[in-house]
Amino acid sequence: MKKFLLQVERNCISGALLLLPLFVFGLILQKVWGFFQKYGEKFAKMLHLDDVFGIVAQDILGGLILLLLLYFSGYLMRLAFLKKFTSWIDDKLMIFLPGYEKNKKLAEEKLKKKVKTPNTNLPVLLKNGEYWQPAHLIEEDTEGNVVVFVPTAPSKDQGQIFVVKTDSIKKLPDTTLGSLDASIKSLGKGILSFK
């Protein structure tokens, strides 16, 4: 019985740790959406779109205002002052909002997956003596140097970083990082078919 109660206590604490950041994020999202929805309602009444589309007009215009604000904020982020200001706000949010840093990192990772940068984080084979090792191309410069990450099987996230010349690697343009990582996890199965 004592073991069962300890298990219940652990599960409740784990559940609270999982749900608390999601709850805070949901509240923030609800407040932000409510703000833009209010202005969407004003524009819908001003343009008489609420007569045509009804209550949906405030959601549509609120969403458009939010998208326009996000788009133009991207241009403003190029200014150094605003970058410092947003970094300061991030620091304060990390102090006062539990789970903010974790959720921010997850969002940044998802955005990085959608925005592809050329010639970085590509699957390659690294020449090491008489044999080739699967690796990730991390960075390239104009002088013929490359930075590669060689994962230690079966983990794709642990390994070593090497700086080598471009002629020491063979790019695999028809291979995805996902298939390379899956091959590393399965101790090299399928690497011979990579091109």
Side-chain angles (χ1 to χ4, degrees):
M1 184 68 175
K2 189 175 182 181
K3 189 176 180 181
F4 173 74
L5 291 175
L6 282 173
Q7 183 66 33
V8 169
E9 180 185 3
R10 266 190 247 127
N11 283 350
C12 289
I13 291 171
S14 298
L17 290 175
L18 172 74
L19 292 177
L20 186 62
L22 293 174
F23 180 72
V24 170
F25 179 73
L27 284 176
I28 292 171
L29 189 63
Q30 183 181 13
K31 292 283 185 190
V32 168
W33 182 249
F35 175 80
F36 285 103
Q37 195 177 31
K38 182 173 70 172
Y39 283 101
E41 180 182 9
K42 288 180 182 180
F43 277 107
K45 284 184 180 180
M46 187 174 68
L47 300 172
H48 300 290
L49 292 176
D50 57 337
D51 296 335
V52 179
F53 295 108
I55 198 162
V56 177
Q58 69 184 19
D59 291 331
I60 293 171
L61 286 175
L64 284 173
I65 293 168
L66 177 61
L67 285 175
L68 286 171
L69 181 67
L70 290 173
Y71 181 77
F72 288 114
S73 295
Y75 285 116
L76 294 175
M77 277 303 295
R78 295 180 182 162
L79 301 174
F81 169 75
L82 287 175
K83 284 184 184 178
K84 288 179 186 175
F85 181 69
T86 54
S87 295
W88 178 81
I89 288 176
D90 270 350
D91 292 341
K92 299 304 176 199
L93 286 175
M94 285 181 207
I95 293 170
F96 295 112
L97 290 177
Y100 173 77
E101 185 176 15
K102 179 183 171 188
N103 287 325
K104 181 185 175 199
K105 286 181 182 177
L106 288 172
E108 285 174 349
E109 287 174 9
K110 287 180 182 179
L111 285 174
K112 284 179 184 174
K113 287 179 184 176
K114 289 184 180 181
V115 179
K116 294 186 178 181
T117 54
N119 293 333
T120 57
N121 213 2
L122 299 172
V124 296
L125 292 176
L126 171 67
K127 186 155 180 70
N128 191 351
E130 294 296 315
Y131 58 91
W132 294 87
Q133 284 185 288
H136 293 210
L137 175 64
I138 303 299
E139 195 174 35
E140 255 182 301
D141 68 11
T142 55
E143 298 171 10
N145 299 311
V146 293
V147 177
V148 293
F149 172 72
V150 180
T152 304
S155 173
K156 64 180 178 69
D157 298 325
Q158 296 178 355
Q160 295 181 319
I161 298 170
F162 296 103
V163 178
V164 297
K165 292 290 182 187
T166 307
D167 57 356
S168 298
I169 64 166
K170 182 163 84 171
K171 293 183 181 178
L172 303 170
D174 296 335
T175 305
T176 64
L177 276 177
S179 58
L180 180 73
D181 290 340
S183 178
I184 290 167
K185 190 173 182 180
S186 64
L187 302 175
K189 186 174 182 178
I191 288 180
L192 293 177
S193 63
F194 289 171
K195 295 183 180 187

